[in-house]
Amino acid sequence: CNPWRDFPAHRSFTKIAAHRSRMTPTRRFALAVSLVAAMTVIGAVGYRLIEHLSILDSFYMSVITISTVGFGEVKPLSPAGRLFTIGLIVTGVGSAIYLFSVIGELVVEGRLREFLGKSAMNRRIHGLKGHVIVCGFGRFGRAVVEELSRKAVPLVVIETDAARQAELDIAEVLHVVGSALEDSVLEEAGIGSARAIIVATGSDADNVYITLSAREKNPKILIYARGDSDGGLRRLRLAGADQVVAAYQWAGMRIAASIIRPSVVDFLQLSVPGRESEVDLEEIRISRESPAAGKTIAAVERDNPRLRIVAMKRSDKPLEMIPGPETQIEPDDLLVVIGESDSLKRLAPL
């Protein structure tokens, strides 16, 4: 029996200790730096108001007081200035000691390199625009990441399992370790500037919640969500997902189609990642500077004999299958093209 545990002060200290144990080294370091910076500014303002020192001398006095280096005062302090200095020593030195202890902890635990690497990764993530966020790095999410990486699409992975961080580091994939259920994690992954998010966790309930959060934080984002049950698929659509996928259902349909229409499935295999073939299926966005802009489909196919345009999408209109040969190609049109790989490579820069 410990009667001390019933005192409010003990309960408060216990809560603080428990909260600190849950904080990551990055957050503890950021907190320590923020405390030292805040005390330095407060000290400078105090010396400026009390002793009427210049801005430089005020910051100088604040820094030497907090760091306790023992340098001399700029000028003799008044009684009010000395009382202020005592208070600054009591509070500021504690903040400085906390900062040094966090740095020492990072060094002793060998996390300094990890911390510096994570800081660099966070800066790279914050600099992204129009990237794709993948929530979940399981079998489904890994397949998505491999294909997006193969196409050099900028992406960020959110994964709750820290054990998979090493795999993501080896693959050189930008990632955030945490739960996409938390708003702070989505913001850390750049949800506000992302163009699409793929919700691929193993829980339908979590996927619905993440879909709602993503739509709230970025109303224009494209949301692709995985669902394992009929109810989950229905709720994902209601939550605002632009496209929902039942992974096991699609796999079963592909196997059945392979038995019933094997030649059709062989044709569809053109778009399967990792397949080596002389013929490929690709989509190409036409820019305003493209030589293809203003030409007809017949003219483009005539210039590239081993290439066919099988579909075209213009602005918000639905996808048009097998557009007419006299259809004129305009800037920002999206073309779905099939042909030899060399012909596609020549057309792709257009």
Side-chain angles (χ1 to χ4, degrees), residues 57-166:
D57 288 343
S58 298
F59 272 101
Y60 173 78
M61 285 294 298
S62 181
V63 170
I64 65 172
T65 302
I66 293 175
S67 60
T68 65
V69 295
F71 289 158
E73 299 170 349
V74 174
K75 72 171 189 177
L77 300 179
S78 64
R82 293 185 178 184
L83 289 174
F84 177 77
T85 300
I86 292 173
L88 186 61
I89 291 174
V90 172
T91 55
V93 171
S95 301
I97 292 175
Y98 179 62
L99 173 60
F100 296 144
S101 68
V102 171
I103 295 175
E105 179 185 352
L106 291 172
V107 174
V108 171
E109 294 183 1
R111 293 183 177 178
L112 185 59
R113 180 177 299 178
E114 174 187 344
F115 169 74
L116 294 176
K118 186 173 183 181
S119 298
M121 182 179 299
N122 288 339
R123 288 194 297 271
R124 291 174 61 190
I125 292 175
H126 293 159
L128 291 177
K129 300 291 182 183
H131 59 289
V132 177
I133 299 174
V134 180
C135 302
F137 194 62
R139 289 175 296 180
F140 186 92
R142 185 180 287 106
V144 174
V145 170
E146 288 176 356
E147 174 62 6
L148 293 177
S149 299
R150 192 174 71 90
K151 295 293 186 179
V153 175
L155 61 93
V156 177
V157 174
I158 299 177
E159 173 55 46
T160 57
D161 188 359
R164 291 175 175 167
Q165 184 173 0

Side-chain angles (χ1 to χ4, degrees), residues 94-254:
S95 301
I97 292 175
Y98 179 62
L99 173 60
F100 296 144
S101 68
V102 171
I103 295 175
E105 179 185 352
L106 291 172
V107 174
V108 171
E109 294 183 1
R111 293 183 177 178
L112 185 59
R113 180 177 299 178
E114 174 187 344
F115 169 74
L116 294 176
K118 186 173 183 181
S119 298
M121 182 179 299
N122 288 339
R123 288 194 297 271
R124 291 174 61 190
I125 292 175
H126 293 159
L128 291 177
K129 300 291 182 183
H131 59 289
V132 177
I133 299 174
V134 180
C135 302
F137 194 62
R139 289 175 296 180
F140 186 92
R142 185 180 287 106
V144 174
V145 170
E146 288 176 356
E147 174 62 6
L148 293 177
S149 299
R150 192 174 71 90
K151 295 293 186 179
V153 175
L155 61 93
V156 177
V157 174
I158 299 177
E159 173 55 46
T160 57
D161 188 359
R164 291 175 175 167
Q165 184 173 0
E167 183 179 353
L168 290 165
D169 287 334
I170 294 174
E172 298 183 349
V173 175
L174 297 178
H175 58 275
V176 176
V177 177
S179 173
L181 297 172
E182 300 179 11
D183 291 347
S184 59
V185 174
L186 287 176
E187 292 170 356
E188 189 175 350
I191 186 67
S193 58
R195 66 182 174 95
I197 182 171
I198 299 167
V199 187
T201 73
S203 168
D204 283 356
D206 289 351
N207 289 344
V208 170
Y209 187 88
I210 295 170
T211 299
L212 289 169
S213 299
R215 181 61 70 200
E216 177 188 13
K217 294 187 171 298
N218 187 346
K220 296 182 179 180
I221 196 170
L222 295 174
I223 302 176
Y224 303 88
R226 165 193 169 181
D228 289 333
S229 65
D230 293 338
L233 296 174
R234 185 178 67 257
R235 291 181 179 89
L236 284 168
R237 293 189 186 96
L238 292 173
D242 295 284
Q243 185 173 342
V244 296
V245 177
Y248 301 110
Q249 182 181 5
W250 278 105
M253 291 173 60
R254 176 60 64 90

Side-chain angles (χ1 to χ4, degrees), residues 307-323:
L307 180 146
R308 293 292 180 270
I309 299 174
V310 297
M312 183 176 71
K313 189 177 190 308
R314 178 167 295 167
S315 63
D316 296 331
K317 296 180 180 179
L319 186 69
E320 180 184 358
M321 301 298 297
I322 314 179

